[in-house]
Amino acid sequence: MNGRDTPVVLGSTFHPHSFLSYGTSHTQFLLAPSHMHDPDINWDYVLVCKPTSTDSPEEQKRQHYISVLLKKGFKTKKVRDGKVTFYGVRAPTDIFHKYVRLLHNPDKGHTSIESPVSPTSRIRIVHFILHNTAILFRGKEEKLQDLIKTQVFEAAFPLHTRKDQTREGLKKKWARWRDIIYVQPIEEIRAYYGEKVALYFAWLGWYTIMLLYAAVVGLIVFFYGFVHFDNSQISQEICTANNTLMCPLCDQNCPYWPLSDTCTYAKVTHLFDNEGTVFFAMFMAVWATVFLELWKRARANTVSGWNLYNWDEDEEELALELINDPECTIKKHEHSYWRSMAVLLGAAVVIAVLIGIAQALVIYRVVVTVSFMRSSWEFLREHANTAAVMSGAVLHYLTIVIMTKVNRVIAGYLCNLEKPRTFTERENSFTTKVFTFQFVTHFSSLFYVAFFLGRINGYPGNYVRIAGQWRLEECHPSGCITDLFIQMCVIMVLKQTLSNCVEYLSPYFSYKWRLMKDRRCRVHGEDGSEDSAAECWRTNYRLGAVHVFSLFDEFLEMVIQYSFTTIFVAAFPLAPVLAFLNNVLEIRLDAIKMTRLQRRFVPRKANDIGIWLQVLEAVGVLAVITNGLVIAVTSDFIPRLIYLYVYGPCANGTTEGINCLSGYVDSSLSVFYTKDFEDLTQVSRSLYTNVTECRYRDYRSAADYSFSTQFWHIFAARLGFLIVFEHVAVCIKFVAAWFVPDIPQRVENYNLDMKKQHLLEELSMMPEESDEYHKEGSPNSYRDFLMDDRMIERSTEV
């Protein structure tokens, strides 16, 4: 800056070495640079605050902070209206030259005449310096984030500018519903929002494309069950079992009931529990692996021209710290076993509480089922179990919404205990904890329904009861897989529908409300004149706020959806279809929200999606195990197979004129003699009297109610199938991972050529040997140098 542009600071004294010692509690400031009304300046950042009295601590801290920025060479501009005050901030050019010098021009090919770095790097550098500029006020050091927490500043954000052609292009080509089927402009997204946001949308687009194949196969499996909706032998036997009386579903005056009452339920079960289930589970295990391997290749193609393969976050952060303060103390990597133990203990306690909440949902379903059984509404009595499952699923969704906020707070606290050094380390730690807590919150109840429901409740005459009063739930005679389907369907539909509505409509209506409220307000400069240039700041201020983990929220939502799509897909083949439809809308919702309704993200560099890739790989492995368990334990696939080849009418090889599953339903139901009921069981005899025996779903002997031989055959087959399925699926995953290289050869060859070009450039910059070096008496070769050295050694010995 020249003398005319130097800001005037009155009533203050600068320390010659440290800006932290500057200012007192009674310092008064007057900023009067001549560039304050220059309309051609492009401001990098805007600070917003509520006006306060000049002698308030907030105003003193604010002016103190602004003066420190001025000392660093920043330009500032103050604009006020009746409600808020804006401070525009523009960084000096020399800090960007330092950045280029220290990091060897990382933005080569993406700079302009006005700036030696790209616009995204410029915002990132300014953001770092602003958030790491500290003031010392009354003995306490405070940075910008601390000032925002204490309401010294209300907000700080980079700007969307109306002159930016990149943003206008994104509005026309990306953030419109009519472009819903078109390819995303990843390069333009990168140029405006940075590499991290661009990689998120590249990953989301690739995930959506791959979901299309899974959705088609899932629909085929579903329609296969639909075609055989009325032709299933098991459904026909259940629908005609008018004389098969089932044991009461509760202890309080519940009647015996005919098995045929659950005819529709049995037909619906066949939609998801049929011969195609095993194939689809195996297909999704392979799909998850191929999806990740192909994404690695797509990622390599995307970032190949970004010059980020050798990017080092530690190096960049060190460079920014030195640019901000050459005498700074570098934060070291820290690790403490005591802190790690505290984090593990805290995480274990949180997980235990979340599992406890899932058990509370189980108790809720048990109590509600009994209440529905006693209802005077006949329809509710007949469908008490289904109604209890659906209401439990809705309650589960509400607990997910509540615990999501709690989990974030606890994860942030545990993350602070670890004291991560860089932003990426903090983000990775935070991601791992939040995803773990969210995974337990979402899936603990589903794991209970899939693997424990109806298997730990005992049997008539010896039921397992809660508090000695309410007995646990039972599976339907057609199996438990429909209960799992209902849970997943309700949660996925509610989560995707309501989450998208809230995610989009909340910032939309908030923006419209602020726009309507401030429509007639005009912005004024310090001299009272209208400032049309600063209207851009007010427009940005009206937009929805973003925070440092805004993109994390988008990733978390998609990875949880990916977990639903893969982990229990054997019970819900329509999950990929719902996920695909949601993602097609999600991409445009996020685009419109980020481009039109939210403030500008702080661009961040990245060459991959980070730790999310490891999370997705872990989910893929867990999906193989879980789907194997669903088929082996939850589904009736194994019991049907054992009956088909061991106990059924075709077991002896005779298959002509008979259905090999004839009699399967009767063989899957055990006999209980009503004289052996417990005293707590009070049976209503309004419909059936003189009943001596009833049936229940299990494989037990009628004599002493011990497990039958058929039970142990099924148990052994389930265990064997699980081992074979998981080993085959894991082997296929490894073969697919080996078969598909992570990086295409074209990209590897391109990187090889770039390394060669870089080395040649370094070689060409080496200075040639000077003539002085070859003068007489000087060593003109390495051999001469060694000979002279040896002669010196010999003379020393003599």
Side-chain angles (χ1 to χ4, degrees):
M1 295 184 296
N2 55 33
R4 184 171 57 89
D5 291 333
T6 303
V8 179
V9 184
L10 303 179
S12 62
T13 303
F14 283 101
H15 193 282
H17 299 293
S18 174
F19 62 84
L20 293 178
S21 61
Y22 166 71
T24 64
S25 60
H26 299 289
T27 303
Q28 299 294 325
F29 302 92
L30 175 62
L31 308 178
S34 62
H35 62 258
M36 285 183 59
H37 300 289
D38 187 352
D40 297 328
I41 292 181
N42 293 322
W43 300 96
D44 298 315
Y45 228 82
V46 170
L47 308 177
V48 186
C49 63
K50 298 289 186 182
T52 56
S53 60
T54 56
D55 59 346
S56 65
E58 291 80 8
E59 182 66 22
Q60 294 173 20
K61 289 182 182 180
R62 192 177 302 133
Q63 298 301 334
H64 193 171
Y65 182 81
I66 296 298
S67 68
V68 174
L69 293 182
L70 292 172
K71 183 175 182 291
K72 290 185 176 184
F74 280 74
K75 296 180 181 179
T76 63
K77 175 179 179 179
K78 183 177 180 181
V79 175
R80 60 180 175 80
D81 68 2
K83 298 180 180 179
V84 293
T85 300
F86 299 99
Y87 289 91
V89 177
R90 179 173 174 82
T93 308
D94 65 301
I95 66 173
F96 306 115
H97 287 294
K98 293 176 182 178
Y99 177 82
V100 171
R101 178 77 175 181
L102 290 174
L103 297 178
H104 309 290
N105 195 12
D107 294 334
K108 184 178 181 181
H110 298 278
T111 58
S112 62
I113 299 175
E114 295 81 6
S115 177
V117 296
S118 65
T120 54
S121 290
R122 184 182 183 97
I123 293 174
R124 185 173 63 255
I125 295 168
V126 173
H127 171 84
F128 183 91
I129 294 177
L130 291 181
H131 281 76
N132 286 274
T133 295
I135 62 172
L136 191 64
F137 187 79
R138 296 178 182 176
K140 183 180 179 181
E141 182 179 304
E142 295 182 75
K143 295 184 178 180
L144 180 58
Q145 197 60 37
D146 303 316
L147 299 177
I148 292 175
K149 289 180 181 179
T150 56
Q151 297 299 310
V152 175
F153 291 106
E154 180 184 343
F157 49 86
L159 293 169
H160 291 295
T161 58
R162 296 176 181 175
K163 300 178 182 179
D164 198 313
Q165 298 300 318
T166 306
R167 185 193 182 203
E168 296 303 317
L170 289 175
K171 284 184 177 181
K172 295 177 181 178
K173 297 191 298 184
W174 184 49
R176 296 190 305 182
W177 289 111
R178 70 182 69 176
D179 301 322
I180 198 169
I181 61 173
Y182 293 103
V183 178
Q184 300 182 85
I186 298 299
E187 289 299 327
E188 287 83 350
I189 298 172
R190 181 227 175 186
Y192 193 75
Y193 289 108
E195 289 82 4
K196 196 162 190 174
V197 173
L199 280 172
Y200 164 72
F201 281 103
W203 174 82
L204 181 56
W206 184 256
Y207 171 44
T208 304
I209 292 172
M210 293 297 293
L211 273 175
L212 179 61
Y213 301 101
V216 170
V217 177
L219 282 174
I220 293 173
V221 173
F222 175 78
F223 281 118
Y224 173 82
F226 187 79
V227 169
H228 296 84
F229 187 79
D230 294 319
N231 300 329
S232 169
Q233 175 65 26
I234 298 173
S235 300
Q236 291 178 359
E237 289 187 4
I238 291 177
C239 292
T240 57
N242 298 317
N243 298 323
T244 302
L245 294 182
M246 303 298 292
C247 296
L249 295 175
C250 67
D251 294 329
Q252 293 77 21
N253 295 319
C254 286
Y256 301 105
W257 53 281
L259 181 59
S260 58
D261 286 353
T262 60
C263 175
T264 304
Y265 201 99
K267 292 180 178 180
V268 172
T269 299
H270 188 67
L271 289 175
F272 312 103
D273 190 6
N274 54 60
E275 292 77 6
T277 302
V278 179
F279 163 75
F280 190 55
M282 184 68 74
F283 170 82
M284 289 302 296
V286 177
W287 175 89
T289 302
V290 173
F291 158 65
L292 290 179
E293 295 302 317
L294 292 181
W295 157 247
K296 294 175 185 177
R297 293 174 62 86
R299 192 272 313 176
N301 279 320
T302 301
V303 304
S304 60
W306 292 359
N307 195 26
L308 289 176
Y309 270 94
N310 297 320
W311 174 72
D312 185 355
E313 187 202 12
D314 278 338
E315 183 182 16
E316 173 154 324
E317 188 158 317
L318 283 172
L320 292 177
E321 289 179 0
L322 292 173
I323 292 171
N324 181 48
D325 181 12
E327 299 179 359
C328 67
T329 301
I330 301 300
K331 184 178 180 181
K332 304 292 185 180
H333 292 281
E334 296 183 29
H335 180 268
S336 169
Y337 289 104
W338 290 108
R339 286 201 303 268
S340 299
M341 290 176 62
V343 169
L344 287 175
L345 182 61
V349 170
V350 174
I351 292 173
V353 171
L354 295 175
I355 294 176
I357 292 174
Q359 298 308 309
L361 292 174
V362 173
I363 297 174
Y364 164 82
R365 285 197 297 266
V366 169
V367 175
V368 165
T369 301
V370 175
S371 301
F372 289 167
M373 287 289 184
R374 297 177 178 176
S375 174
S376 58
W377 188 14
E378 183 180 356
F379 179 82
L380 187 59
R381 287 200 310 270
E382 292 177 355
H383 301 85
N385 188 46
T386 304
V389 171
M390 294 188 68
S391 63
V394 174
L395 185 60
H396 184 199
Y397 172 75
L398 295 177
T399 62
I400 289 173
V401 173
I402 296 172
M403 292 308 299
T404 295
K405 301 183 181 298
V406 177
N407 291 340
R408 293 175 65 93
V409 174
I410 297 175
Y413 176 75
L414 295 178
C415 183
N416 291 333
L417 286 179
E418 293 180 328
K419 296 184 177 180
R421 201 191 86 79
T422 64
F423 175 80
T424 299
E425 288 182 2
R426 175 177 295 276
E427 187 178 42
N428 290 346
S429 175
F430 186 76
T431 297
T432 304
K433 293 172 180 57
V434 172
F435 177 78
T436 301
F437 297 157
Q438 288 294 92
F439 184 87
V440 177
T441 303
H442 283 80
F443 288 93
S444 54
S445 180
L446 294 176
F447 271 93
Y448 169 79
V449 172
F451 306 128
F452 298 99
L453 177 64
R455 294 170 180 82
I456 59 173
N457 62 314
Y459 57 91
N462 188 28
Y463 283 118
V464 176
R465 303 176 187 276
I466 299 173
Q469 182 176 2
W470 296 290
R471 76 190 204 200
L472 294 178
E473 302 168 276
E474 298 181 37
C475 279
H476 186 270
S478 300
C480 290
I481 200 166
T482 304
D483 295 327
L484 181 59
F485 158 74
I486 293 174
Q487 285 275 107
M488 288 194 62
C489 185
V490 171
I491 293 174
M492 280 199 73
V493 171
L494 284 179
K495 180 175 176 55
Q496 295 186 162
T497 304
L498 296 182
S499 295
N500 281 339
C501 289
V502 172
E503 183 180 345
Y504 178 75
L505 294 179
S506 177
Y508 176 79
F509 286 120
S510 297
Y511 172 68
K512 291 298 183 182
W513 168 252
R514 289 191 295 267
L515 191 64
M516 181 180 64
K517 187 171 61 173
D518 300 339
R519 188 182 300 274
R520 297 186 179 181
C521 297
R522 295 187 180 275
V523 184
H524 300 278
E526 284 191 297
D527 58 358
S529 61
E530 290 188 13
D531 193 337
S532 57
E535 182 63 29
C536 174
W537 303 356
R538 186 177 183 84
T539 302
N540 280 264
Y541 178 63
R542 294 191 191 108
L543 299 174
V546 296
H547 52 82
V548 70
F549 287 118
S550 292
L551 190 62
F552 165 86
D553 295 335
E554 305 295 341
F555 258 121
L556 179 63
E557 179 185 356
M558 289 296 101
V559 175
I560 290 293
Q561 183 210 82
Y562 175 82
S563 303
F564 274 107
T565 305
T566 54
I567 288 181
F568 287 111
V569 73
F572 190 30
L574 294 180
V577 179
L578 295 181
F580 173 77
L581 296 176
N582 174 81
N583 289 3
V584 170
L585 299 176
E586 179 78 22
I587 291 174
R588 302 305 160 182
L589 282 175
D590 288 345
I592 295 172
K593 181 179 64 176
M594 291 175 61
T595 309
R596 301 175 183 271
L597 301 177
Q598 287 184 333
R599 295 169 188 162
R600 189 171 184 174
F601 274 70
V602 174
R604 296 193 181 277
K605 277 192 174 181
N607 55 13
D608 204 342
I609 59 174
I611 199 172
W612 290 113
L613 184 62
Q614 285 74 36
V615 172
L616 293 170
E617 289 176 340
V619 170
V621 173
L622 183 60
V624 172
I625 299 172
T626 306
N627 283 303
L629 285 170
V630 167
I631 297 171
V633 178
T634 312
S635 169
D636 273 0
F637 174 75
I638 300 299
R640 290 199 300 264
L641 210 61
I642 293 298
Y643 181 81
L644 188 67
Y645 292 105
V646 179
Y647 296 96
C650 299
N652 57 4
T654 304
T655 59
E656 296 182 2
I658 60 174
N659 191 304
C660 294
L661 286 177
S662 298
Y664 168 76
V665 173
D666 186 69
S667 73
S668 66
L669 300 175
S670 298
V671 176
F672 179 78
Y673 297 107
T674 58
K675 62 183 179 62
D676 297 329
F677 270 127
E678 298 170 285
D679 294 336
L680 290 174
T681 304
Q682 304 295 325
V683 182
S684 173
R685 305 184 184 277
S686 58
L687 298 178
Y688 300 96
T689 57
N690 299 324
V691 177
T692 59
E693 64 180 43
C694 61
R695 309 295 294 274
Y696 63 100
R697 179 181 169 83
D698 209 340
Y699 295 95
R700 292 182 179 271
S701 169
D704 57 357
Y705 305 120
S706 61
F707 288 122
S708 63
T709 305
Q710 188 175 358
F711 169 84
W712 294 111
H713 284 169
I714 293 173
F715 178 81
R718 280 174 165 165
L719 183 61
F721 172 83
L722 181 62
I723 294 173
V724 172
F725 176 87
E726 292 184 356
H727 279 71
V728 171
V730 169
C731 287
I732 293 175
K733 283 173 66 67
F734 284 142
V735 170
W738 166 81
F739 188 76
V740 182
D742 292 351
I743 302 176
Q745 287 188 357
R746 181 184 62 81
V747 176
E748 289 185 333
N749 292 332
Y750 171 79
N751 292 331
L752 194 62
D753 292 338
M754 294 301 295
K755 289 178 181 178
K756 177 184 175 182
Q757 182 180 350
H758 173 71
L759 293 175
L760 288 175
E761 290 177 356
E762 292 291 330
L763 195 61
S764 64
M765 294 174 62
M766 292 182 63
E768 296 182 359
E769 295 183 359
S770 63
D771 295 336
E772 295 292 331
Y773 190 71
H774 295 287
K775 286 183 178 179
E776 184 178 356
S778 298
N780 55 15
S781 68
Y782 183 65
R783 184 178 60 182
D784 295 336
F785 173 78
L786 289 179
M787 291 178 64
D788 291 346
D789 191 47
R790 289 170 185 169
M791 292 179 65
I792 293 173
E793 289 180 357
R794 289 176 183 176
S795 63
T796 304
E797 292 176 359
V798 173

Coordinates of all heavy atoms in Angstrom, one line a residue, residues 538-581:
R538 N -24.8 -7.9 1.8 CA -26.1 -8.2 2.4 C -26.9 -9.3 1.8 O -27.5 -10.1 2.5 CB -27.0 -6.9 2.3 CG -28.3 -7.0 3.0 CD -29.1 -5.7 2.9 NE -30.3 -5.7 3.7 CZ -30.4 -5.5 5.0 NH1 -29.3 -5.1 5.6 NH2 -31.5 -5.6 5.7
T539 N -26.7 -9.5 0.5 CA -27.3 -10.6 -0.2 C -26.7 -11.9 0.3 O -27.5 -12.9 0.5 CB -27.1 -10.5 -1.7 OG1 -27.7 -9.3 -2.2 CG2 -27.7 -11.7 -2.5
N540 N -25.4 -12.0 0.5 CA -24.8 -13.2 1.0 C -25.2 -13.4 2.5 O -25.3 -14.6 2.9 CB -23.3 -13.0 0.9 CG -22.7 -13.4 -0.5 OD1 -22.3 -14.5 -0.7 ND2 -22.8 -12.4 -1.4
Y541 N -25.4 -12.3 3.2 CA -25.8 -12.5 4.6 C -27.1 -13.1 4.8 O -27.4 -13.8 5.7 CB -25.7 -11.1 5.3 CG -26.1 -11.1 6.7 CD1 -25.4 -11.8 7.7 CD2 -27.3 -10.4 7.1 CE1 -25.8 -11.8 9.0 CE2 -27.7 -10.3 8.4 CZ -27.0 -11.0 9.4 OH -27.4 -11.0 10.7
R542 N -28.0 -12.8 3.8 CA -29.4 -13.4 3.8 C -29.4 -14.9 3.6 O -30.3 -15.6 4.0 CB -30.3 -12.8 2.8 CG -30.6 -11.3 3.0 CD -31.7 -10.9 2.0 NE -31.8 -9.4 1.9 CZ -31.4 -8.7 0.9 NH1 -30.9 -9.3 -0.1 NH2 -31.6 -7.4 0.9
L543 N -28.3 -15.4 3.0 CA -28.3 -16.9 2.7 C -28.1 -17.7 3.9 O -27.6 -17.2 4.9 CB -27.2 -17.1 1.7 CG -27.3 -16.4 0.3 CD1 -26.1 -16.7 -0.5 CD2 -28.5 -16.9 -0.4
G544 N -28.4 -19.0 3.8 CA -28.2 -19.9 4.9 C -26.8 -20.1 5.3 O -25.9 -20.1 4.5
A545 N -26.5 -20.2 6.6 CA -25.2 -20.3 7.1 C -24.6 -21.7 6.8 O -25.4 -22.7 6.8 CB -25.1 -20.1 8.6
V546 N -23.4 -21.9 6.6 CA -22.7 -23.1 6.5 C -21.6 -23.2 7.5 O -21.1 -22.2 8.0 CB -22.1 -23.3 5.1 CG1 -23.1 -23.4 4.0 CG2 -21.1 -22.2 4.8
H547 N -21.2 -24.4 7.9 CA -20.2 -24.6 8.9 C -19.1 -25.5 8.4 O -19.2 -26.1 7.3 CB -20.8 -25.1 10.2 CG -21.6 -26.3 10.1 ND1 -21.1 -27.6 10.1 CD2 -22.9 -26.5 10.0 CE1 -22.0 -28.4 9.9 NE2 -23.2 -27.8 9.9
V548 N -18.1 -25.7 9.2 CA -17.0 -26.5 8.7 C -17.3 -27.9 8.4 O -16.6 -28.6 7.6 CB -15.8 -26.4 9.8 CG1 -16.2 -27.2 11.0 CG2 -14.5 -26.8 9.2
F549 N -18.4 -28.5 9.0 CA -18.7 -29.8 8.8 C -20.0 -30.0 7.9 O -20.7 -31.0 8.0 CB -18.9 -30.6 10.1 CG -17.6 -30.9 10.8 CD1 -17.4 -30.3 12.0 CD2 -16.6 -31.6 10.2 CE1 -16.2 -30.6 12.7 CE2 -15.5 -31.9 10.9 CZ -15.2 -31.4 12.1
S550 N -20.3 -28.9 7.1 CA -21.5 -29.0 6.3 C -21.4 -30.1 5.3 O -22.4 -30.9 5.0 CB -21.8 -27.7 5.6 OG -22.1 -26.7 6.5
L551 N -20.3 -30.3 4.7 CA -20.1 -31.3 3.7 C -20.0 -32.7 4.4 O -20.5 -33.7 3.8 CB -18.8 -31.1 2.9 CG -18.6 -32.0 1.7 CD1 -19.7 -31.8 0.6 CD2 -17.2 -31.8 1.1
F552 N -19.5 -32.7 5.6 CA -19.6 -34.0 6.4 C -21.0 -34.5 6.5 O -21.2 -35.7 6.4 CB -18.9 -33.7 7.7 CG -19.2 -34.8 8.7 CD1 -18.4 -35.9 8.8 CD2 -20.3 -34.7 9.6 CE1 -18.7 -36.9 9.7 CE2 -20.5 -35.7 10.6 CZ -19.7 -36.8 10.6
D553 N -21.9 -33.6 6.8 CA -23.3 -34.0 6.9 C -23.9 -34.7 5.7 O -24.6 -35.7 5.7 CB -24.2 -32.8 7.3 CG -23.8 -32.2 8.6 OD1 -23.3 -32.9 9.5 OD2 -24.1 -31.0 8.8
E554 N -23.5 -34.1 4.5 CA -23.9 -34.7 3.2 C -23.3 -36.1 3.1 O -24.0 -37.1 2.7 CB -23.5 -33.8 2.1 CG -24.0 -32.4 2.2 CD -25.5 -32.3 2.1 OE1 -26.2 -33.2 1.7 OE2 -26.0 -31.2 2.5
F555 N -22.0 -36.3 3.4 CA -21.4 -37.6 3.3 C -22.0 -38.6 4.2 O -22.3 -39.7 3.9 CB -19.9 -37.4 3.6 CG -19.0 -37.4 2.3 CD1 -18.2 -36.4 2.0 CD2 -19.0 -38.5 1.5 CE1 -17.4 -36.4 0.9 CE2 -18.2 -38.5 0.3 CZ -17.4 -37.5 0.1
L556 N -22.3 -38.1 5.4 CA -22.8 -39.0 6.5 C -24.2 -39.6 6.0 O -24.5 -40.7 6.2 CB -22.9 -38.3 7.8 CG -23.5 -39.1 9.0 CD1 -22.6 -40.3 9.3 CD2 -23.7 -38.3 10.2
E557 N -25.0 -38.7 5.5 CA -26.3 -39.1 5.0 C -26.3 -40.1 3.9 O -27.0 -41.1 4.0 CB -27.1 -37.8 4.5 CG -28.5 -38.1 4.0 CD -29.1 -36.9 3.3 OE1 -28.5 -35.8 3.4 OE2 -30.2 -37.1 2.8
M558 N -25.3 -39.9 3.0 CA -25.2 -40.9 1.9 C -24.6 -42.2 2.3 O -25.0 -43.3 1.9 CB -24.4 -40.3 0.8 CG -25.0 -39.2 0.0 SD -26.5 -39.8 -0.9 CE -27.8 -39.2 0.2
V559 N -23.6 -42.2 3.3 CA -23.0 -43.4 3.7 C -24.0 -44.2 4.6 O -24.0 -45.5 4.5 CB -21.7 -43.1 4.5 CG1 -21.1 -44.4 5.1 CG2 -20.7 -42.5 3.5
I560 N -24.8 -43.6 5.4 CA -25.8 -44.3 6.1 C -26.8 -44.9 5.1 O -27.3 -46.1 5.3 CB -26.6 -43.4 7.1 CG1 -25.7 -43.0 8.2 CG2 -27.8 -44.0 7.6 CD1 -25.3 -44.1 9.2
Q561 N -27.2 -44.2 4.1 CA -28.0 -44.8 3.1 C -27.4 -46.0 2.4 O -28.0 -47.0 2.1 CB -28.4 -43.7 2.0 CG -29.3 -44.2 0.9 CD -29.1 -43.5 -0.4 OE1 -28.2 -43.9 -1.2 NE2 -29.9 -42.5 -0.7
Y562 N -26.1 -45.9 2.1 CA -25.3 -47.0 1.5 C -25.4 -48.2 2.4 O -25.5 -49.3 2.0 CB -23.9 -46.5 1.3 CG -23.0 -47.6 0.7 CD1 -22.9 -48.0 -0.6 CD2 -22.1 -48.3 1.6 CE1 -22.1 -48.9 -1.1 CE2 -21.2 -49.3 1.2 CZ -21.2 -49.6 -0.2 OH -20.4 -50.6 -0.6
S563 N -25.3 -48.0 3.7 CA -25.4 -49.1 4.7 C -26.7 -49.7 4.6 O -26.8 -51.0 4.6 CB -25.1 -48.5 6.1 OG -23.9 -47.9 6.2
F564 N -27.8 -49.0 4.5 CA -29.2 -49.6 4.4 C -29.3 -50.3 3.1 O -29.9 -51.4 3.0 CB -30.2 -48.5 4.4 CG -30.7 -48.1 5.8 CD1 -30.3 -46.9 6.3 CD2 -31.5 -48.9 6.5 CE1 -30.7 -46.5 7.6 CE2 -31.9 -48.6 7.8 CZ -31.5 -47.4 8.3
T565 N -28.6 -49.8 2.1 CA -28.7 -50.4 0.7 C -28.0 -51.8 0.6 O -28.4 -52.6 -0.1 CB -28.2 -49.5 -0.3 OG1 -28.8 -48.2 -0.2 CG2 -28.4 -50.0 -1.7
T566 N -27.0 -52.0 1.4 CA -26.2 -53.2 1.3 C -26.3 -54.1 2.5 O -26.3 -55.4 2.3 CB -24.7 -52.8 1.2 OG1 -24.3 -51.9 2.3 CG2 -24.4 -52.0 -0.1
I567 N -26.5 -53.7 3.7 CA -26.4 -54.6 4.8 C -27.6 -55.5 4.9 O -27.4 -56.7 5.1 CB -26.2 -53.7 6.1 CG1 -24.8 -53.1 6.2 CG2 -26.4 -54.6 7.4 CD1 -24.5 -52.3 7.4
F568 N -28.8 -55.0 4.9 CA -30.0 -55.9 5.0 C -30.7 -56.0 3.7 O -31.9 -56.1 3.6 CB -30.9 -55.4 6.1 CG -30.4 -55.6 7.5 CD1 -30.0 -54.6 8.3 CD2 -30.3 -56.9 8.0 CE1 -29.5 -54.7 9.5 CE2 -29.8 -57.1 9.3 CZ -29.4 -56.0 10.0
V569 N -30.0 -55.9 2.6 CA -30.6 -55.9 1.3 C -31.3 -57.2 1.0 O -32.2 -57.3 0.2 CB -29.6 -55.5 0.2 CG1 -28.6 -56.7 -0.1 CG2 -30.3 -55.1 -1.1
A570 N -30.9 -58.3 1.6 CA -31.5 -59.6 1.4 C -33.0 -59.6 1.9 O -33.8 -60.3 1.3 CB -30.8 -60.7 2.1
A571 N -33.3 -58.8 2.8 CA -34.6 -58.7 3.4 C -35.4 -57.6 2.7 O -36.6 -57.5 2.8 CB -34.6 -58.4 4.9
F572 N -34.7 -56.7 1.9 CA -35.4 -55.6 1.3 C -34.8 -55.3 0.0 O -34.0 -54.3 -0.2 CB -35.3 -54.3 2.2 CG -36.2 -53.2 1.8 CD1 -37.4 -53.4 1.2 CD2 -35.8 -51.9 2.1 CE1 -38.2 -52.3 0.8 CE2 -36.6 -50.8 1.8 CZ -37.8 -51.0 1.1
P573 N -35.1 -56.1 -1.1 CA -34.5 -55.9 -2.4 C -34.9 -54.6 -3.1 O -34.3 -54.2 -4.1 CB -35.0 -57.1 -3.2 CG -36.3 -57.5 -2.5 CD -36.0 -57.2 -1.0
L574 N -35.9 -53.9 -2.5 CA -36.2 -52.5 -3.1 C -35.4 -51.4 -2.5 O -35.6 -50.3 -3.0 CB -37.7 -52.3 -2.8 CG -38.7 -53.2 -3.5 CD1 -40.2 -52.8 -3.2 CD2 -38.5 -53.1 -5.0
A575 N -34.5 -51.7 -1.6 CA -33.6 -50.6 -1.1 C -32.8 -49.9 -2.1 O -32.7 -48.7 -2.1 CB -32.7 -51.2 0.0
P576 N -32.2 -50.6 -3.1 CA -31.4 -49.9 -4.1 C -32.3 -49.0 -5.0 O -31.9 -47.9 -5.4 CB -30.8 -51.0 -4.9 CG -30.7 -52.2 -4.0 CD -31.9 -52.1 -3.2
V577 N -33.6 -49.4 -5.2 CA -34.5 -48.6 -6.0 C -34.8 -47.3 -5.3 O -34.7 -46.2 -5.9 CB -35.8 -49.4 -6.3 CG1 -36.8 -48.5 -7.1 CG2 -35.5 -50.7 -7.0
L578 N -35.1 -47.4 -4.0 CA -35.4 -46.2 -3.2 C -34.2 -45.3 -3.1 O -34.3 -44.1 -3.2 CB -35.9 -46.6 -1.8 CG -37.2 -47.3 -1.7 CD1 -37.6 -47.6 -0.3 CD2 -38.3 -46.5 -2.3
A579 N -33.0 -45.9 -2.9 CA -31.8 -45.1 -2.9 C -31.5 -44.4 -4.2 O -31.1 -43.2 -4.2 CB -30.6 -46.0 -2.5
F580 N -31.7 -45.1 -5.3 CA -31.4 -44.5 -6.6 C -32.3 -43.3 -6.8 O -31.9 -42.2 -7.2 CB -31.6 -45.5 -7.7 CG -31.6 -45.0 -9.1 CD1 -30.4 -44.7 -9.7 CD2 -32.7 -44.7 -9.8 CE1 -30.3 -44.1 -10.9 CE2 -32.7 -44.2 -11.1 CZ -31.5 -43.9 -11.7
L581 N -33.6 -43.5 -6.6 CA -34.6 -42.3 -6.8 C -34.2 -41.2 -5.8 O -34.3 -40.0 -6.2 CB -36.0 -42.8 -6.5 CG -36.5 -43.9 -7.5 CD1 -37.9 -44.3 -7.0 CD2 -36.6 -43.4 -8.9

